Amino acid sequence: MRYFAQTNIPGLEDFHFCVMDFVHEKSTPSGYLHAHKDFWELVVVKSGSGIHVCCHEEKKISSGDVFLIPPGVVHDYVATQPFHVYNVLFCDGFFQKFGDDLAQLPNYQLYFNLSNQATISNIEIMHIDGSSFSELIKLLEETLDEQTNPRPGSHTAVFSNALKIMLMLCRHAESRTGDLPGAVLAISKLLAEMRKNIVSRWDLEKMAKKCGLSVSSFRQQFKALTGQSPVAWLLEVRLKKAAQLLKNSTMSISDVCLECGFTDGNYFSRQFAKYQGVSPREYRKTALSGAQQGAVLTADRHR
């Protein structure tokens, strides 16, 4: 198995991404229950049909179906007829590097923010068809070729295709009819909207209304799916965004506060200190110092 690592792009040294294709022949259950400790697995069914076994539950899968398996989840396949799948393995946390953009898509929330909680025992089977499916297969085949026949530029090609594959999954995969509980879909859409409009005022009544739920039911469903209360989830998202801006922009601290949806500077400073262990000002000072040291080390390596 070949894993491509981006070792020449600062900040992406831990990039690992691998595409494999496999034809499951018609048989009885393989008995090969397995899990990937440190990798996510995206499964794309190219042709044929079979059964995916996960957490003591069996689901039929067929051409055009796609699903994402979080690290550590044990699963297996049963072939009811020969079927061809692509298994895409990638390192935990890599796509979160692009979270500010991708997190505005409901499918990203579904896969990366909901899959680790209640839905972990019920891997959601999604579906891509038409021209989007054809384009996805083309990207997978191109990536396989770059892996099998590496040449100058292959790392860049694989890196580029990795992002395109994940973007297609987030933009074009749809729930199979009846497979996805309404609350799960509604809350994944809400998470994406809150990430997109982080500055807006969000209260429990507004959130619940967006999901078509009562406040009490919404609070319960949200906690079950994310592991956090709605207020705690939004606060953490805003504080993470603030940390990014303090580290990577020249915005004033007061502007960062407003940009992240905080209207009270003192409240922002208190919450940030609780979350990061230091004040916003100290956090920025430490981040700038680390960036300067990193720039010196990078320059030394290229001399």
Side-chain angles (χ1 to χ4, degrees):
M1 183 184 303
R2 181 189 297 272
Y3 293 102
F4 272 79
Q6 286 298 125
T7 58
N8 57 346
I9 300 179
L12 297 176
E13 294 86 355
D14 61 346
F15 169 59
H16 296 278
F17 188 87
C18 176
V19 176
M20 301 176 289
D21 63 337
F22 191 81
V23 176
H24 294 266
E25 300 293 342
K26 185 176 180 180
S27 64
T28 55
S30 68
Y32 182 55
L33 288 168
H34 66 285
H36 305 284
K37 180 181 178 181
D38 301 314
F39 287 86
W40 291 75
E41 179 178 354
L42 168 64
V43 181
V44 179
V45 184
K46 180 180 181 181
S47 60
S49 63
I51 295 172
H52 181 242
V53 183
C54 180
C55 302
H56 309 292
E57 185 175 8
E58 297 183 353
K59 285 191 175 182
K60 293 181 179 179
I61 54 176
S62 58
S63 179
D65 286 344
V66 296
F67 50 99
L68 193 62
I69 304 168
V73 175
V74 178
H75 66 112
D76 192 11
Y77 300 96
V78 180
T80 55
Q81 60 173 278
F83 71 101
H84 187 176
V85 301
Y86 295 97
N87 300 104
V88 183
L89 305 182
F90 55 92
C91 61
D92 187 23
F94 170 70
F95 287 103
Q96 280 83 334
K97 292 179 184 293
F98 304 89
D100 275 352
D101 189 27
L102 293 177
Q104 299 177 40
L105 297 166
N107 279 355
Y108 181 88
Q109 298 295 337
L110 174 65
Y111 294 134
F112 293 104
N113 285 338
L114 302 186
S115 291
N116 286 321
Q117 300 297 331
T119 55
I120 199 168
S121 61
N122 185 29
I123 300 297
E124 305 299 345
I125 310 295
M126 307 288 277
H127 191 81
I128 297 179
D129 56 18
S131 60
S132 295
F133 183 63
S134 298
E135 185 178 349
L136 176 60
I137 296 301
K138 181 181 178 182
L139 284 169
L140 291 166
E141 289 291 344
E142 288 178 356
T143 306
L144 273 171
D145 178 62
E146 294 287 353
Q147 292 178 186
T148 306
N149 305 294
R151 56 258 195 201
S154 285
H155 280 210
T156 302
V158 171
F159 177 78
S160 174
N161 282 357
L163 294 179
K164 290 178 182 177
I165 288 167
M166 187 52 59
L167 182 59
M168 288 202 67
L169 181 67
C170 290
R171 280 183 171 175
H172 301 295
E174 297 182 353
S175 172
R176 299 193 312 188
T177 304
D179 274 7
L180 195 61
V184 175
L185 185 59
I187 290 175
S188 67
K189 289 181 178 179
L190 174 67
L191 297 183
E193 185 173 349
M194 287 197 291
R195 288 296 300 260
K196 187 185 299 183
N197 300 300
I198 195 173
V199 179
S200 299
R201 179 178 177 273
W202 293 96
D203 54 39
L204 285 175
E205 290 75 16
K206 180 179 178 180
M207 296 180 196
K209 184 177 180 180
K210 289 279 186 180
C211 295
L213 299 169
S214 66
V215 171
S216 60
S217 178
F218 167 72
R219 186 187 289 113
Q220 182 180 24
Q221 294 273 14
F222 193 100
K223 180 68 177 290
L225 289 170
T226 67
Q228 295 178 290
S229 71
V231 173
W233 183 91
L234 181 59
L235 177 61
E236 183 174 336
V237 168
R238 284 173 166 168
L239 291 173
K240 284 182 177 179
K241 176 68 174 179
Q244 291 174 358
L245 291 176
L246 289 169
K247 183 177 181 180
N248 300 317
S249 79
T250 58
M251 294 174 63
S252 68
I253 293 176
S254 59
D255 284 344
V256 168
C257 171
L258 295 173
E259 184 71 16
C260 296
F262 295 96
T263 56
D264 185 326
N266 291 328
Y267 174 76
F268 165 65
S269 294
R270 290 196 304 272
Q271 293 300 321
F272 190 91
K274 286 181 181 179
Y275 184 71
Q276 294 288 352
V278 293
S279 69
R281 189 175 302 279
E282 285 299 317
Y283 182 86
R284 167 168 276 175
K285 182 179 179 181
T286 301
L288 288 174
S289 176
Q292 290 171 353
Q293 292 177 6
V296 170
L297 290 173
T298 299
D300 288 343
R301 285 199 300 266
H302 287 84
R303 284 176 181 171

